[in-house]
């Protein structure tokens, strides 16, 4: 899977294209919206999206590529809490 991403300080947007169809049409994961940050990767046939949408900090959602992940994603971890350093 190939990705193109763009963003600003508090927002991001990604599009994807299967690597085996390089002349195909790029599809959007989620449109750019103020205060919505996310990052995406693809493994084992599914998207894994780290997003701050509807999360205290960030959460990880998983979604298949045939749907719009932001609408049908299954939440893997409801909230990711920052780790505390041990000093």
């Amino acid at each position: 899977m190939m990705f193109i991403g763009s963003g600003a300080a508090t927002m991001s947007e990604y599009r994807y294209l299967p690597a085996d169809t390089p002349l195909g049409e790029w599809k959007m994961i989620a449109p750019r919206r103020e205060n919505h940050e996310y990052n995406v990767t693809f493994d084992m046939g599914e998207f894994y999206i780290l997003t701050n949408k509807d999360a205290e900090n960030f959460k990880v959602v998983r979604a298949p590529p045939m749907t719009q992940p932001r609408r049908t994603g299954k939440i893997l971890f409801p909230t990711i809490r920052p780790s505390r350093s041990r000093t």
Side-chain angles (χ1 to χ4, degrees):
M1 195 67 67
M2 298 184 291
F3 294 97
I4 294 176
S6 64
T10 62
M11 62 182 93
S12 43
E13 176 180 290
Y14 285 87
R15 295 175 186 265
Y16 70 95
L17 179 68
D20 59 351
T21 57
L23 299 177
E25 182 179 335
W26 290 87
K27 295 180 183 174
M28 188 178 306
I29 298 288
R32 190 183 304 200
R33 290 200 171 100
E34 188 69 35
N35 297 317
H36 181 210
E37 299 174 71
Y38 69 96
N39 199 330
V40 63
T41 190
F42 189 81
D43 189 40
M44 303 289 289
E46 294 185 298
F47 289 107
Y48 289 85
I49 304 164
L50 178 67
T51 178
N52 69 343
K53 183 170 174 53
D54 302 325
E56 182 180 332
N57 292 315
F58 282 83
K59 63 184 173 187
V60 177
V61 296
R62 178 179 65 199
M66 292 301 181
T67 61
Q68 291 226 330
R70 62 189 171 89
R71 296 197 180 163
T72 62
K74 297 175 186 172
I75 297 173
L76 297 181
F77 306 102
T79 302
I80 298 173
R81 303 205 184 278
S83 62
R84 297 174 189 230
S85 62
R86 296 179 181 169
T87 56

